[in-house]
Every structure is written in structure tokens, then in C-alpha cells.
Amino acid sequence: MNNYVKPGEIVTFTPPVGGVVSGPAYLITDLFVVATGTVTAAEALAGTKAEGLVEGVVTLPKVTSETWVEGAPIYWDVAEAKCTQFDESGANVHIGVAVLVNSDDTIATSGDTTGAVRLHGATLPRVDFPAS
């Protein structure tokens, strides 16, 4: 296969003008990434690229009042910069599903400030399927 570029769990992206810090999540158009390194604002302005995780399990900030259901769709609330399992307004972007971190763990509950999310690689449009 001569068109293979590289594995897709970590991708290179153009950071926003203010740069990126290793660890937080960033929404780059329809690409949801967790930065794996830091790129300063000066470096971003000079054209330095960043790398970010787009697939895998990560711990991200969540809406504290929510209790997540294992396997539930998780959305990124752009206005709050937190994960939520709800998208009533249709403005949040689907980034993955809620998961357990290990067999001794519980799913994120009310009061937790973070939750484990299995990222699926890109934001997905909302699709409503007819009831069967």
C-alpha cells in the first residue's frame, strides 16, 4: 500500500493564534484534539504545527452536575469548554462516548469534575434515526 501516511491516533494540526498547551482539548474546525505538546503563541504565529490525540481514552472536564451513563454519547460544549452527555440545543459537538477507566472504576458521577471519554477521531453531525 503506497498511500499509507501514518497511524491516526495522533495527528498534526495548525494551532490557534494563541497556541496550545499540552493536555487541554481544542476544537479545530471539525477536528477535536487533545494537545500532546505545547506550542506558544509566538511559535503558532511563526507557523509551528502542533500534535494532538484524536482517538483513545482521555480524562476531560465535564459538567459537574451530570452522572454519565457508560457508553453514552459525549458532546463538547463549546461555550463552557466541558463535556456533557446532552445536546438539547444542537450546538454541542459529538466527540465520543463515556467509558470506565479500569475494572475497579465507576463511571463519572454527579460532583465529579472530570470523566473518561473514548474519543472517536472527529466531531460528528447529529443524526436522528427514526424509531423502529
Side-chain angles (χ1 to χ4, degrees):
M1 175 168 66
N2 61 6
N3 60 346
Y4 179 80
V5 177
K6 66 179 186 175
E9 294 85 11
I10 295 177
V11 298
T12 303
F13 67 96
T14 303
V17 174
V20 296
V21 177
S22 179
Y26 297 89
L27 186 60
I28 310 296
T29 312
D30 286 331
L31 182 65
F32 185 83
V33 299
V34 176
T36 59
T38 298
V39 174
T40 67
E43 291 170 329
L45 287 171
T48 301
K49 301 299 183 200
E51 289 198 332
L53 184 73
V54 294
E55 292 182 7
V57 177
V58 293
T59 302
L60 293 172
K62 70 175 260 308
V63 174
T64 308
S65 62
E66 293 180 3
T67 295
W68 288 0
V69 175
E70 185 177 0
I74 298 298
Y75 300 88
W76 184 249
D77 183 330
V78 178
E80 297 294 323
K82 292 182 180 179
C83 293
T84 178
Q85 65 177 353
F86 302 105
D87 186 30
E88 290 89 5
S89 69
N92 299 336
V93 291
H94 184 229
I95 61 167
V97 296
V99 295
L100 299 172
V101 175
N102 59 54
S103 62
D104 298 328
D105 204 8
T106 58
I107 204 72
T109 60
S110 180
D112 292 343
T113 58
T114 62
V117 179
R118 196 294 185 183
L119 301 176
H120 55 55
T123 63
L124 296 175
R126 184 182 184 112
V127 177
D128 292 320
F129 294 98
S132 52

